[in-house]
Coordinates of all heavy atoms in Angstrom, one line a residue:
Chain B
R1197 N 22.5 140.3 -12.3 CA 23.0 138.9 -12.1 C 23.0 138.6 -10.6 O 23.2 139.5 -9.8 CB 24.5 138.9 -12.6 CG 24.6 138.3 -14.0 CD 26.0 138.4 -14.5 NE 26.1 139.5 -15.4 CZ 27.2 140.3 -15.4 NH1 28.2 140.1 -14.6 NH2 27.3 141.3 -16.3
N1198 N 22.8 137.4 -10.2 CA 22.8 136.9 -8.8 C 21.8 137.7 -7.9 O 22.0 137.9 -6.7 CB 24.2 137.0 -8.2 CG 25.2 136.3 -9.0 OD1 24.9 135.3 -9.6 ND2 26.4 136.9 -9.2
Q1199 N 20.8 138.3 -8.5 CA 19.8 139.0 -7.8 C 20.3 140.1 -6.8 O 19.8 140.3 -5.7 CB 18.9 138.1 -6.9 CG 17.8 137.3 -7.7 CD 18.4 136.2 -8.6 OE1 19.2 135.4 -8.1 NE2 18.1 136.2 -9.9
V1200 N 21.3 140.8 -7.2 CA 21.9 141.8 -6.3 C 20.9 142.9 -6.1 O 20.7 143.5 -5.0 CB 23.2 142.4 -6.9 CG1 23.8 143.5 -6.0 CG2 24.2 141.3 -7.2
L1201 N 20.1 143.2 -7.2 CA 19.1 144.3 -7.1 C 18.0 144.0 -6.0 O 17.6 144.9 -5.3 CB 18.5 144.6 -8.5 CG 18.1 146.0 -8.7 CD1 19.2 146.9 -8.6 CD2 17.5 146.1 -10.1
D1202 N 17.7 142.7 -6.0 CA 16.7 142.3 -5.0 C 17.2 142.6 -3.6 O 16.5 142.9 -2.6 CB 16.3 140.9 -5.2 CG 15.5 140.7 -6.4 OD1 14.8 141.6 -6.8 OD2 15.5 139.6 -7.0
A1203 N 18.6 142.3 -3.4 CA 19.2 142.5 -2.1 C 19.1 144.0 -1.8 O 18.9 144.4 -0.6 CB 20.6 142.0 -2.1
Y1204 N 19.4 144.8 -2.8 CA 19.3 146.3 -2.5 C 17.9 146.7 -2.1 O 17.7 147.5 -1.2 CB 19.6 147.0 -3.9 CG 21.0 147.3 -4.1 CD1 21.7 146.8 -5.2 CD2 21.8 148.1 -3.2 CE1 23.0 147.1 -5.5 CE2 23.1 148.3 -3.4 CZ 23.7 147.8 -4.6 OH 25.0 148.1 -4.8
R1205 N 16.9 146.0 -2.7 CA 15.5 146.4 -2.4 C 15.2 146.1 -0.9 O 14.5 146.9 -0.3 CB 14.6 145.6 -3.2 CG 14.4 146.1 -4.6 CD 13.4 145.2 -5.1 NE 13.1 145.3 -6.5 CZ 12.3 144.5 -7.2 NH1 11.8 143.4 -6.5 NH2 12.0 144.6 -8.4
V1206 N 15.6 145.0 -0.4 CA 15.3 144.6 1.0 C 16.2 145.3 2.0 O 15.9 145.4 3.2 CB 15.3 143.1 1.2 CG1 14.1 142.5 0.4 CG2 16.6 142.5 0.8
S1207 N 17.4 145.8 1.5 CA 18.3 146.4 2.5 C 17.7 147.8 2.9 O 17.0 148.4 2.2 CB 19.7 146.6 1.8 OG 19.6 147.8 1.1
P1208 N 18.0 148.2 4.1 CA 17.5 149.4 4.7 C 18.2 150.6 4.1 O 17.8 151.8 4.3 CB 17.8 149.3 6.2 CG 18.9 148.4 6.3 CD 18.9 147.5 5.1
A1209 N 19.2 150.4 3.2 CA 20.0 151.5 2.7 C 19.1 152.4 1.7 O 18.1 151.8 1.1 CB 21.2 151.1 1.9
S1210 N 19.3 153.7 1.7 CA 18.5 154.6 0.9 C 18.6 154.3 -0.6 O 19.8 154.1 -1.0 CB 18.9 156.0 1.2 OG 18.5 156.8 0.1
P1211 N 17.5 154.1 -1.3 CA 17.6 153.8 -2.7 C 18.4 155.0 -3.5 O 19.1 154.7 -4.4 CB 16.2 153.8 -3.2 CG 15.3 153.8 -2.0 CD 16.2 154.2 -0.8
N1212 N 18.3 156.2 -2.9 CA 18.9 157.3 -3.6 C 20.4 157.2 -3.6 O 21.1 157.7 -4.5 CB 18.4 158.6 -3.0 CG 17.1 159.0 -3.4 OD1 16.6 158.5 -4.4 ND2 16.4 159.9 -2.7
A1213 N 20.9 156.6 -2.5 CA 22.4 156.4 -2.5 C 22.8 155.5 -3.6 O 23.8 155.8 -4.3 CB 22.8 155.8 -1.2

Side-chain angles (χ1 to χ4, degrees):
Chain B
R1197 263 175 260 140
N1198 306 322
Q1199 281 78 48
V1200 182
L1201 211 56
D1202 291 332
Y1204 273 121
R1205 281 185 186 169
V1206 292
S1207 85
S1210 154
N1212 283 343

